Amino acid sequence: DDIELIYNSGGVSELQEEFSVAMDNAQGVINVLTEKSLSGTYAVYSTGGEIMKRGDLETSIPFDAQSGMYFVRINSGGKSHTFEIYKK
């Protein structure tokens, strides 16, 4: 019920095919969904470019912030991709 998936409207990159990101507002976590093993890093940015959180890639990233849109950048296997999420 409280999971919102937001996809980039541009072309689908290889990394975007391997990962998807969803904000679980009920649990206050960002879920990184993939069938591959997770390795790499992530960073969560505000719309103003401020780094809100960063660390090693995990399947569930606790994220407690104000409501709004954020960008999640995943770096894995020498590639990076940015996903949009909306925190309610």
Side-chain angles (χ1 to χ4, degrees):
D1 291 350
D2 292 304
I3 295 178
E4 182 174 350
L5 298 175
I6 300 176
Y7 297 97
N8 290 345
S9 59
V12 176
S13 72
E14 217 174 287
L15 190 60
Q16 190 176 11
E17 291 175 354
E18 296 175 12
F19 294 94
S20 62
V21 175
M23 181 70 216
D24 183 340
N25 286 293
Q27 299 295 317
V29 297
I30 299 168
N31 291 311
V32 179
L33 311 168
T34 184
E35 293 182 7
K36 303 196 179 241
S37 63
L38 285 177
S39 65
T41 60
Y42 74 90
V44 181
Y45 296 87
S46 68
T47 55
E50 177 185 356
I51 295 176
M52 306 298 291
K53 186 169 189 153
R54 68 173 140 195
D56 292 329
L57 204 50
E58 304 174 50
T59 56
S60 183
I61 302 165
F63 188 61
D64 184 28
Q66 294 181 7
S67 296
M69 185 169 42
Y70 295 89
F71 300 99
V72 180
R73 184 170 209 59
I74 292 178
N75 300 299
S76 180
K79 301 173 190 162
S80 67
H81 189 75
T82 303
F83 298 86
E84 296 176 6
I85 59 169
Y86 185 76
K87 172 87 167 104
K88 290 184 181 180

